Amino acid sequence: MYAGVVGPGDGADAGECATAYRVGALLARAGAIVVTGGGGGVMAAACRGAFEHGGVTVGLLPGDTRAAAGGYLSVSIPTGMGQMRNALVVRS
């Protein structure tokens, strides 16, 4: 099972990040692979929650390199698609 998690990156507040962390942890415990845009904020929090609870995380990055990949990604995929990569996250 794959589950896409979307939400604000740089503009995410503490409550949104706490919720995303919990969602990531619950998904990992359920055996889901967590797919995000690979950035900060909600994306990073969901990946951290999943990663710290033994889950697998995939980041579909907006740029052409892995330079912006978050630290809690099991797999990072540079798409070169910018914000359009969010459609891929949702399709996951």
Side-chain angles (χ1 to χ4, degrees):
M1 165 177 46
Y2 291 79
V5 178
V6 297
D10 296 334
D13 64 36
E16 291 168 326
C17 288
T19 299
Y21 178 90
R22 179 89 171 121
V23 166
L26 291 170
L27 287 169
R29 289 181 189 152
I33 296 171
V34 175
V35 182
T36 73
V42 164
M43 296 171 281
C47 286
R48 191 177 110 233
F51 195 85
E52 290 180 352
H53 289 87
V56 174
T57 60
V58 176
L60 301 175
L61 305 170
D64 293 324
T65 70
R66 289 180 171 83
Y72 296 99
L73 291 174
S74 304
V75 177
S76 58
I77 302 169
T79 67
M81 297 176 68
Q83 294 299 321
M84 288 179 18
R85 99 251 192 223
N86 291 330
L88 298 175
V89 175
V90 172
R91 290 282 302 167
S92 71

